[in-house]
């Protein structure tokens, strides 16, 4: 159990839709310094969601797995030692699945957000420099709303991982929050400003990066928040008839 107090204390702490933080370490035991870094990173994930929701007059909080559902509950960090020398995302997921630290993709309703001391992608050549990608998140292609006969697969358990270069704030925004949003389904190819494989082209936005930016959003502060135009993947009060409320 971490020192980080969850903003949501409900149920038994693990029921329903949740996010489970996981620390995948390479040493003989978890590093207390790393555990503290993850604890601090959780606060910035919370802030990304709460501040983004406030822009449209709403409130959104991450439902972490906690030690109980009572007032003052604390986030539970799952730890697992990387046993196979996993050198990319797929190998890391297989390693953790084999240990029972995470379920296979699509199982259950809990998202697993992994802070890893391993690698996300292999270098382009053996012994070469690390790739520029320091995080990856799984998502399903599907923008069906809740309550339809074919429920949205992004409600199921998807996983994300962040290597030790991007455990918290990088480039002005929370990388763990970015990867968690991927597991929730953002950004769908049907979104008005989708670009670059699951991202967007609005400019300063926590989910927008890559070539072809239009910079519709020009404030650097928006780089730490979700959906600067409130029209692609995150809006607590969308207008009927728009993409997020068809």
């Amino acid at each position: 159990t971490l020192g980080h107090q969850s903003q949501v204390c409900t149920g038994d702490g693990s029921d329903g839709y949740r996010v489970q933080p996981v620390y995948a370490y390479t040493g003989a035991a978890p590093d207390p310094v790393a555990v503290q870094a993850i604890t601090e990173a959780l606060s910035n994930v919370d802030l990304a969601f709460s501040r983004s929701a406030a822009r449209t007059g709403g409130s959104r909080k991450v439902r972490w797995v906690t030690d109980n559902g009572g007032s003052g509950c604390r986030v539970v960090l799952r730890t697992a030692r990387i046993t196979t020398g996993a050198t990319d995302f797929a190998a890391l997921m297989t390693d953790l699945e084999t240990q029972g630290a995470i379920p296979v993709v699509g199982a259950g309703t809990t998202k697993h957000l992994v802070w890893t001391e391993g690698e996300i992608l292999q270098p382009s050549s053996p012994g070469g420099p690390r790739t520029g990608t320091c995080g990856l998140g799984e998502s399903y292609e599907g923008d069906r709303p809740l309550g339809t006969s074919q429920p949205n697969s992004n409600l199921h358990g998807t996983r994300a991982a962040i290597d030790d270069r991007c455990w918290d704030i990088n480039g002005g925004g929370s990388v763990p929050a970015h990867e968690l949003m991927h597991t929730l389904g953002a950004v769908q190819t049907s979104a008005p400003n989708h670009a670059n494989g699951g991202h967007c082209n609005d400019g300063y936005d926590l989910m927008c990066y890559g070539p072809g930016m239009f910079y519709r959003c020009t404030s650097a502060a928006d780089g730490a928040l979700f959906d600067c135009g409130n029209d692609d993947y995150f809006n607590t009060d969308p207008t009927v008839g728009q993409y997020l409320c068809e």
Side-chain angles (χ1 to χ4, degrees), residues 6 22 40-41 59-60 91-93 115 117 127 141 163 172 174 189 192 195 200 220 233-234 237 244:
S6 177
V22 180
E40 294 171 2
S59 175
R60 294 293 184 273
L92 174 64
M93 294 297 105
W115 280 259
E117 293 177 347
E141 185 64 29
D163 74 27
S174 166
T189 57
C200 46
Y233 62 92
F234 190 86
D237 188 25
L244 292 175

Side-chain angles (χ1 to χ4, degrees), residues 26-197:
T26 56
D31 181 355
V33 174
V35 172
Q36 180 58 37
I38 294 169
T39 301
E40 294 171 2
L42 295 180
S43 296
N44 286 319
V45 175
D46 284 335
L47 284 173
F49 280 86
S50 62
R51 289 176 176 173
S52 298
R55 294 198 298 184
T56 52
S59 175
R60 294 293 184 273
K61 300 175 182 178
V62 179
R63 298 184 73 226
W64 303 105
V65 172
T66 57
D67 53 358
N68 61 72
S71 177
C73 67
R74 305 270 174 189
V75 177
V76 173
L77 177 67
R78 183 174 295 170
T79 61
R81 183 172 179 268
I82 299 173
T83 60
T84 61
T87 55
D88 60 29
F89 182 84
L92 174 64
M93 294 297 105
T94 298
D95 189 336
L96 298 179
E97 289 169 13
T98 301
Q99 297 184 55
I102 63 172
V104 297
V105 62
T109 56
T110 297
K111 308 293 186 182
H112 286 75
L113 189 56
V114 182
W115 280 259
T116 181
E117 293 177 347
E119 296 292 340
I120 299 298
L121 289 177
Q122 294 187 37
S124 57
S125 60
R130 301 173 84 177
T131 69
T133 299
C134 58
L136 286 173
E138 299 169 330
S139 65
Y140 289 97
E141 185 64 29
D143 54 10
R144 292 182 297 272
L146 301 180
T148 60
S149 59
Q150 294 181 312
N152 194 310
S153 295
N154 287 298
L155 292 171
H156 302 316
T158 42
R159 300 87 53 90
I162 316 100
D163 74 27
D164 55 5
R165 295 170 294 170
C166 297
W167 275 15
D168 197 359
I169 302 296
N170 187 292
S174 166
V175 178
H178 172 106
E179 300 304 340
L180 178 57
M181 184 57 81
H182 276 317
T183 72
L184 297 170
V187 177
Q188 293 289 306
T189 57
S190 57
N193 301 291
H194 169 269
N196 304 315

Side-chain angles (χ1 to χ4, degrees), residues 191-196 200-205 208-218 228 232:
N193 301 291
H194 169 269
N196 304 315
C200 46
N201 58 16
D202 282 337
Y204 288 108
D205 182 302
C208 296
Y209 80 92
M213 291 295 111
F214 289 129
Y215 288 97
R216 180 168 66 125
C217 303
T218 58
C228 63
D232 287 309

